[in-house]
Amino acid sequence: MARYRPVDPQQSFPQLEEEILRQWRERDVFHESVRRREGADPYVFYEGPPTANGRPGSHHVLGRAFKDVFPRFHTMRGRLVHRKAGWDCHGLAVELEVEEQLGFKSKEDIERFGVAEFNAKCRESVLRYIDEWGRLTERIGFWIDTDEAYFTLESSYIESVWWSLKQVWERGLLYQGHKVVPYCPRCGTALSSHEVAQGYKDVVDPSVYVRFPVKGEEGVSLLGWTTTPWTLLSNAALAVHPDVDYVRARVDGETLIVAAALAEKVLGDGVEIGESVKGSELEGTRYEPPFPYISDYGERGHTVLPADFVTTDDGTGVVHTAVAFGEDDFQLGERYGLTLQNPVRPDGAFDERMGAFAGRWVKEADGDIVEALRESGRLLHAEEYEHSYPHCWRCETPLLYYAKSAWYVRTTAVKDELLAANETVRWYPEHIKHGRFGNWLENNVDWALSRERYWGTPLPVWRSEDGQEVVCVGSMGELRELGAEVPDDLHRPFVDEVTFERNGKTMRRVPDLIDVWWDSGCMPFAQWHAPFENQDRFEERFPANFICEALDQTRGWFYSLLAISTMLFGRASYETVLCLGLILDPEGQKMSKSRGNVVVPWDVIETHGADAFRWYYFTSKQPWDGYRFSLDTVGESVRQFMKPLWNIYYLLVLYANDNDVEPAGLADVELTDLDRWALSRLQATAAVAIDRLEDYDTTGAGRAIAAYVEELSNWYVRRSRRRFWYGDAAAFATLRECLVTVAKLVGPLTPFIADAIYGNLDGAEPSVHLCDYPEPDAALRDDGLELQMQVARDAVKLGHQARAHAALKVRQPLREAVVVAAGRERDAIERFEEVVLEELNVKGVRYVSEADELGRFELKPNYRTLGPRFGRHMPQVAAAVGGLDPERAAATLRDGGQVHVSIDGKDHALGADDVGLVLQPLEGYQVERSGTHAVAVNLEVDEKLHREALAREVVHAVQGARKDAGLDVGDRIHLRLGGDVALLEAVRAHEGYVVGETLADTLELGAAENGTPVQIEGRELRIHIERA
RNA sequence: GGGCGAUUAGCUCAGCUGGUUAGAGCGCGUCUCUGAUAAGGACGAGGUCCCUGGUUCGAGUCCAGGAUCGCCCA
């Protein structure tokens, strides 16, 4: 009767996983695993909400695999790990997706379509993808509560976000300001810095040198330089560095004022250099602007101003300033009271003040502007200039640096707090902390919070038309108290209609939305609608023990979480961050739809399964380094780890069922040394796995477990095969214990195969994921045994090598192996002599403690111990050791004595640790050595040994024939053999052996006329098999 | 232009606080084992540890400069 459910050796893992998924659903294993830890010490995980804008890709599987493994591990370790899913629903990305669907090109299109309808589409679009995300999430075994997920679009979430903004407002950190921002005229919105970063492209722009004639000095011009000719239309001033030397350079009868350091570079070698002055002396110089359209820039308009940002790296050292179109320019304008004039409309076209250029898209006007300068004689020189310039990451429109009114959070005011909070965070990899992230915090600028878009959390600021009254609203209740009617849906356009009276004035909301990163950064409390509800839950689950996202979140979620919690609660909202790297294709190229090198996760799952996918991510390398990834690389996970593990499991079940072996505890059986070894190694492996996973190192944990599975397969099982055939209780108990424990160890990593194995071999719990993580049992640990086994395995390996080099197959029995070993090594090999004999197929082992028979010792200085001791005298020491008599020294050292060397007339004693003995084999012997021990095999094959080898060959041939005949491993047969007499003679001499190995009930010799012929050493054997 | 990281076998990756024969897996070649069997084992070929300098008795490992690639920032 089968004790265990039979195992398919060809099991399809994807199919197996579907089965396990069904069990998890039926038994509600995930929720049960959380329920069982009710009241335990919580381990808090925060889900960084993905934007469900598009189908999930392989990089999302990476993130979700790592977000899964540590919560699973800590649950098994006894912690209570709630996992609440979340979805980031707002933002420009979603709007763009919808715009694309609807064929929209601009904000006017959206306004015409209707904001309510447009936002309804956005909501629909986000929710549409969430299903597929949910499907993938479940399929890869990412356990997270999707039923209770938070959505950033919910009114409750938005209300919590409003609350956060009100806190910031009350601290005086929320303000409206004018700043020059990277602005996309097509999308009609400013971009955040990380959006800008995505869009840098190399472009060729005009590079123009322009004369700015000095007023009242005929023939003298300041020479300015720019790569954005369109900004010349609103030139407001020129900037020079006060400490830089400027010269009057004469060229072709005119005088040009440029930085001394750049004069020759710009004007050529032949230029005549005149008077030199400091930039500060040029301050106040009035000049003629290049275009007449706007003249009112205030008192200091169209004069030279001093500025520290001017460099002499390129250009002329005289910097054209257009207040509205550059950060430096804008600040300069503020300092010197230049009037802010912006002649460019929000759609990127010049306004009606710009004469012939009115209505033209600024970048396209560049060429004509250069022409106009040429015609007016202002152009000295024009060329092309290649540089990298930011473009809108989605619509590819070149961005404009553009002065806009916007709302900011004064994060610069809390920079020190941010840095201090960062100090409390543990980063993986460590260098991010003070590198990328720390640097980013050091260079903190105020958070540009507002967005002039439609689909997002509305900025809860209401204002009177005259700007005198401003209210930041922190909740719906507060809004009601102010006398407003509050709609159910807080999005635009509904929220825009909310008004109330204050001091006799009508208060209307400012039209802006907020940055989506603020939304997601609020999740620690907003996911619970705290502080309006569930304040206790929020407090219980704050801060997070662990968060994990891709490296690109450094300036995204990692920052928004830290910044918001620092401003609101004065501390970091997470303790440990794991950063994940990029997924690249096998050529190291970034995966992207446009390159067509994207690996669809479903393909991987259907081909190899989710376990393999996860295992690959966990173990192939440190996750932050990025992955060179393809379908095939995942296949290796299956071949190298899952398949061998499955094979062991298959073997156990096969023979346990065959022999009707009952599952037994270790206490009920008599363990052999080999069993104890396997169990000892198991404890060691558990210890490593725990240590590595506590340190967020799946690679270290996974590799240790894989190494153990390899040992189990290629040593324990291989050495124990016969015990399994014959139903040895201790072997079954041991292997079962090992496999069940491995299933637990590997559960967090490859949850499906782990549960399949556990369920069949143990099944005390409904799932392995309800078990405790294995604790190493010191009573089962035996370091000495492990060491001895290692020595014995080394000896076997050396013997195999010796045979291979002598080209003597293992099937040929040999009389003896000669082993050079003494003391502990000899004890070890003697303890496992049976194993050594069988592995090497030799009749006996002969030990020699002296090397004489097999070779000579050579002495080698141990640099590791001697180096620190002798320092720069090391070469002399090495020479002195080389000068010792090897035989005598070796004998002395092996007896535990000391040898003496003389360095600079001083005597030094060296012990066994200081001098290594290396055996040099004598010629003519087949000896393999490793350090001080060596193994030789006696190559002499006599008649008897040869006959035995032939018998083994015959068995080998018969086994082949059994297999060809399609027999089961346990089928009994009637065997008839015919052919060469020498072969038959060998069989006769070893009849018992042949009959036993081939499971033959009867054996007839010389009677297989119609048997299948095979060749053995050039002799023919005819084999006839019949099922008994 | 600045910051951070990477560079080790044909490929994917290990190499702890510097120690003298630089490893594994895959792939390749040869052999082998066989009652886990489209698995397993052994052997072999394959390496200027990106380059150049430096520190040191000794550098894949530490330092400086450079190259290439990636990410981030401008």
Side-chain angles (χ1 to χ4, degrees):
Chain A
M1 199 194 86
R3 301 278 170 188
Y4 300 113
R5 193 161 25 80
V7 175
D8 179 359
Q10 308 294 335
Q11 177 68 52
S12 144
F13 292 120
Q15 218 175 320
L16 177 80
E17 291 169 1
E18 298 282 359
E19 169 64 26
I20 298 293
L21 279 172
R22 203 163 52 240
Q23 285 180 21
W24 288 350
R25 272 194 295 269
E26 281 167 8
R27 303 173 189 175
D28 196 24
V29 177
F30 167 44
H31 293 110
E32 179 64 16
S33 75
V34 179
R35 259 195 304 275
R36 290 201 185 183
R37 301 302 188 192
E38 222 41 84
D41 179 24
Y43 173 87
V44 180
F45 164 73
Y46 285 165
E47 161 74 337
T51 310
N53 183 62
R55 305 201 142 75
S58 293
H59 54 299
H60 296 114
V61 175
L62 173 69
R64 296 174 102 59
F66 277 93
K67 287 175 177 187
D68 182 61
V69 65
F70 299 110
R72 279 183 188 267
F73 170 67
H74 285 287
T75 299
M76 290 181 79
R77 292 278 287 164
R79 309 282 291 272
L80 171 65
V81 192
H82 285 290
R83 280 154 273 179
K84 189 177 170 80
W87 303 103
D88 202 4
C89 308
H90 288 147
L92 190 58
V94 181
E95 290 192 34
L96 283 164
E97 169 93 9
V98 172
E99 280 191 73
E100 204 169 300
Q101 272 171 39
L102 299 174
F104 289 177
K105 295 267 183 294
S106 68
K107 288 170 84 172
E108 282 78 56
D109 290 335
I110 296 170
E111 304 269 358
R112 254 196 310 277
F113 183 71
V115 173
E117 292 74 13
F118 182 77
N119 277 353
K121 288 274 183 195
C122 288
R123 177 185 295 264
E124 200 178 290
S125 169
V126 170
L127 298 180
R128 182 160 55 94
Y129 287 115
I130 283 179
D131 275 352
E132 179 161 350
W133 275 80
R135 225 157 46 80
L136 184 72
T137 297
E138 191 198 13
R139 184 60 187 80
I140 61 175
F142 178 28
W143 275 358
I144 190 157
D145 251 314
T146 44
D147 296 342
E148 292 178 28
Y150 66 91
F151 292 77
T152 60
L153 57 70
E154 286 171 347
S155 292
S156 60
Y157 195 97
I158 291 173
E159 188 176 31
S160 291
V161 175
W162 279 9
W163 171 80
S164 73
L165 291 166
K166 179 73 182 273
Q167 304 304 303
V168 172
W169 170 266
E170 284 179 348
R171 277 190 71 179
L173 298 176
L174 179 62
Y175 69 97
Q176 187 181 25
H178 262 93
K179 282 206 177 168
V180 173
V181 292
Y183 174 81
C184 173
R186 199 222 63 101
C187 299
T189 189
L191 273 69
S192 68
S193 53
H194 94 276
E195 288 171 314
V196 175
Q198 288 180 52
Y200 275 88
K201 284 203 286 196
D202 285 336
V203 292
V204 177
D205 275 325
S207 158
V208 293
Y209 294 86
V210 181
R211 297 184 181 96
F212 294 82
V214 175
K215 277 193 177 172
E217 274 196 79
E218 195 62 29
V220 179
S221 298
L222 292 143
L223 187 63
W225 175 75
T226 184
T227 57
T228 51
W230 60 270
T231 61
L232 288 168
L233 272 68
S234 50
N235 169 270
L238 293 173
V240 297
H241 196 291
D243 302 332
V244 164
D245 293 321
Y246 289 82
V247 293
R248 290 172 170 251
R250 290 198 59 83
V251 194
D252 299 336
E254 65 172 323
T255 301
L256 297 169
I257 301 173
V258 297
L262 291 161
E264 292 198 344
K265 186 175 159 198
V266 174
L267 300 171
D269 292 341
V271 67
E272 186 189 325
I273 304 294
E275 183 197 352
S276 170
V277 293
K278 287 288 178 195
S280 52
E281 295 173 50
L282 293 170
E283 183 177 347
T285 307
R286 294 200 168 269
Y287 65 89
E288 302 280 353
F291 291 94
Y293 303 118
I294 300 174
S295 53
D296 177 18
Y297 285 99
E299 183 78 1
R300 306 197 64 169
H302 297 141
T303 68
V304 174
L305 301 173
D308 289 339
F309 63 77
V310 175
T311 69
T312 53
D313 294 342
D314 48 20
T316 62
V318 179
V319 175
H320 144 66
T321 296
V323 184
F325 306 117
E327 178 69 28
D328 289 335
D329 308 47
F330 183 81
Q331 281 173 9
L332 191 69
E334 288 214 311
R335 176 176 304 174
Y336 293 102
L338 298 178
T339 311
L340 176 62
Q341 298 272 14
N342 186 345
V344 176
R345 299 193 312 232
D347 66 356
F350 286 113
D351 70 16
E352 66 292 342
R353 289 178 286 175
M354 293 296 107
F357 297 105
R360 295 195 56 189
W361 158 236
V362 296
K363 280 271 184 189
E364 274 170 13
D366 271 347
D368 289 343
I369 290 168
V370 174
E371 266 323 296
L373 290 168
R374 200 188 303 280
E375 280 167 24
S376 66
R378 294 297 178 85
L379 183 72
L380 176 73
H381 179 55
E383 57 194 20
E384 293 193 325
Y385 183 73
E386 190 177 342
H387 61 149
S388 92
Y389 190 85
H391 292 67
C392 179
W393 62 278
R394 191 53 192 262
C395 70
E396 303 200 344
T397 305
L399 300 180
L400 306 183
Y401 285 90
Y402 192 85
K404 288 188 65 69
S405 149
W407 290 83
Y408 289 87
V409 176
R410 203 181 309 278
T411 52
T412 47
V414 295
K415 181 175 137 182
D416 291 344
E417 293 171 57
L418 293 173
L419 288 167
N422 183 39
E423 285 306 312
T424 68
V425 176
R426 180 162 51 151
W427 287 87
Y428 293 92
E430 215 194 323
H431 63 79
I432 303 285
K433 180 173 185 167
H434 294 121
R436 183 176 294 202
F437 195 67
N439 289 341
W440 160 256
L441 294 179
E442 287 284 357
N443 299 319
N444 188 266
V445 294
D446 285 349
W447 186 333
L449 186 71
S450 56
R451 298 287 184 274
E452 297 176 271
R453 294 297 303 186
Y454 305 96
W455 179 238
T457 298
L459 184 68
V461 173
W462 271 259
R463 193 159 54 179
S464 63
E465 199 168 344
D466 60 9
Q468 295 300 305
E469 302 286 336
V470 187
V471 176
C472 178
V473 174
S475 70
M476 293 193 251
E478 191 183 334
L479 199 50
R480 270 186 220 102
E481 279 168 28
L482 288 163
E485 263 185 59
V486 182
D488 292 339
D489 186 348
L490 293 180
H491 289 95
R492 297 185 70 187
F494 314 108
V495 71
D496 298 334
E497 289 154 19
V498 175
T499 60
F500 55 89
E501 299 293 314
R502 189 179 168 92
N503 295 335
K505 294 172 187 167
T506 302
M507 305 287 281
R508 295 183 190 283
R509 198 184 71 82
V510 300
D512 306 67
L513 304 178
I514 65 163
D515 184 1
V516 289
W517 292 108
W518 188 278
D519 281 0
S520 57
C522 289
M523 65 71 67
F525 49 94
Q527 65 174 338
W528 300 113
H529 191 208
F532 307 103
E533 289 180 73
N534 303 315
Q535 178 66 14
D536 51 338
R537 277 206 193 173
F538 158 60
E539 282 170 13
E540 264 166 40
R541 301 181 199 174
F542 180 89
N545 293 97
F546 169 63
I547 62 172
C548 167
E549 303 291 333
L551 209 49
D552 57 10
Q553 296 299 327
T554 313
R555 283 144 173 99
W557 197 54
F558 295 153
Y559 175 67
S560 65
L561 269 183
L562 185 83
I564 291 170
S565 72
T566 302
M567 286 186 283
L568 264 50
F569 312 116
R571 59 159 304 160
S573 43
Y574 46 88
E575 290 173 351
T576 299
V577 193
L578 176 59
C579 299
L580 304 173
L582 252 70
I583 306 281
L584 306 172
D585 75 4
E587 274 71 53
Q589 295 287 310
K590 200 169 168 175
M591 282 194 185
S592 69
K593 279 179 204 155
S594 55
R595 281 203 185 86
N597 57 356
V598 172
V599 178
V600 180
W602 289 108
D603 289 348
V604 181
I605 291 164
E606 278 156 24
T607 311
H608 302 298
D611 275 341
F613 207 165
R614 294 168 61 115
W615 184 258
Y616 164 74
Y617 279 145
F618 290 146
T619 61
S620 68
K621 59 191 306 195
Q622 295 299 340
W624 45 82
D625 285 339
Y627 294 80
R628 295 206 172 187
F629 172 70
S630 72
L631 212 50
D632 290 343
T633 56
V634 177
E636 293 209 352
S637 308
V638 179
R639 280 214 312 284
Q640 280 179 47
F641 176 67
M642 296 180 49
K643 192 77 181 169
L645 176 60
W646 193 261
N647 276 339
I648 302 170
Y649 165 56
Y650 165 68
L651 172 129
L652 173 70
V653 169
L654 180 69
Y655 290 112
N657 285 345
D658 245 23
N659 291 294
D660 200 16
V661 177
E662 298 219 22
L666 296 177
D668 306 325
V669 296
E670 205 164 312
L671 299 176
T672 66
D673 278 347
L674 193 67
D675 297 333
R676 274 191 286 275
W677 171 80
L679 292 165
S680 180
R681 292 287 311 130
L682 181 66
Q683 310 314 311
T685 304
V688 173
I690 291 169
D691 178 68
R692 292 336 299 145
L693 290 177
E694 293 276 7
D695 195 30
Y696 296 91
D697 175 13
T698 56
T699 312
R703 285 178 181 178
I705 296 169
Y708 179 68
V709 168
E710 198 272 340
E711 285 182 318
L712 203 55
S713 169
N714 289 328
W715 191 246
Y716 179 75
V717 170
R718 186 153 66 89
R719 289 310 321 144
S720 309
R721 254 180 275 182
R722 276 164 205 274
R723 296 170 67 204
F724 293 112
W725 302 347
Y726 304 132
D728 181 289
F732 280 102
T734 302
L735 187 58
R736 175 166 168 275
E737 168 70 18
C738 294
L739 280 175
V740 169
T741 304
V742 165
K744 292 175 184 171
L745 291 175
V746 89
L749 300 153
T750 52
F752 298 97
I753 193 172
D755 221 3
I757 292 173
Y758 171 82
N760 199 13
L761 294 187
D762 186 322
E765 297 288 350
S767 165
V768 73
H769 305 292
L770 300 176
C771 299
D772 287 346
Y773 207 71
E775 281 287 346
D777 181 350
L780 292 176
R781 191 75 200 271
D782 185 342
D783 285 330
L785 178 65
E786 287 186 36
L787 201 72
Q788 286 185 313
M789 185 65 88
Q790 194 52 51
V791 172
R793 290 189 69 180
D794 281 347
V796 168
K797 187 174 170 156
L798 293 173
H800 275 144
Q801 280 177 28
R803 292 191 76 119
H805 281 136
L808 263 180
K809 40 177 94 170
V810 180
R811 233 176 286 155
Q812 172 63 62
L814 294 175
R815 190 170 319 288
E816 67 175 4
V818 183
V819 176
V820 181
R824 291 204 317 226
E825 288 176 345
R826 176 168 176 167
D827 292 344
I829 295 168
E830 278 186 325
R831 183 169 182 182
F832 292 106
E833 193 170 296
E834 281 297 314
V835 173
V836 175
L837 291 178
E838 206 175 312
E839 279 288 320
L840 294 181
N841 195 15
V842 293
K843 301 297 175 193
V845 176
R846 182 156 58 86
Y847 296 93
V848 290
S849 52
E850 300 302 327
D852 314 356
E853 281 190 53
L854 297 175
R856 286 179 296 101
F857 278 112
E858 276 185 5
L859 305 176
K860 251 191 141 181
N862 181 358
Y863 284 85
R864 197 186 279 271
T865 59
L866 297 176
R869 185 167 152 198
F870 291 99
R872 59 197 172 76
H873 298 294
M874 223 19 239
Q876 293 160 267
V877 176
V881 170
L884 294 168
D885 172 13
E887 298 303 321
R888 274 179 46 200
T892 309
L893 290 166
R894 301 185 110 218
D895 279 347
Q898 290 187 323
V899 295
H900 295 264
V901 292
S902 172
I903 308 296
D904 288 346
K906 273 185 164 173
D907 183 77
H908 299 275
L910 308 181
D913 287 345
D914 300 321
V915 183
L917 301 174
V918 177
L919 195 65
Q920 293 299 337
L922 292 180
E923 275 178 49
Y925 283 71
Q926 195 55 58
V927 182
E928 298 298 328
R929 61 166 176 90
S930 162
T932 57
H933 80 267
V935 175
V937 285
N938 186 330
L939 303 178
E940 192 188 332
V941 177
D942 62 17
E943 190 64 22
K944 198 172 155 213
L945 288 172
H946 185 235
R947 225 180 5 245
E948 194 179 334
L950 287 179
R952 285 183 74 127
E953 293 284 359
V954 170
V955 168
H956 176 55
V958 173
Q959 302 293 20
R962 281 183 60 109
K963 199 177 148 198
D964 290 344
L967 296 181
D968 260 6
V969 294
D971 287 342
R972 313 293 304 183
I973 58 170
H974 296 299
L975 177 62
R976 278 185 284 163
L977 297 172
D980 187 273
V981 276
L983 293 176
L984 298 184
E985 187 55 38
V987 173
R988 213 182 312 277
H990 297 277
E991 193 171 326
Y993 163 73
V994 172
V995 164
E997 289 294 303
T998 60
L999 300 187
D1001 281 353
T1002 62
L1003 170 64
E1004 284 180 66
L1005 293 178
E1009 294 313 323
N1010 54 353
T1012 314
V1014 292
Q1015 296 292 315
I1016 293 172
E1017 290 186 6
R1019 306 160 198 269
E1020 185 176 272
L1021 178 72
R1022 291 193 302 278
I1023 305 171
H1024 185 273
I1025 288 178
E1026 222 173 81
R1027 202 188 308 252

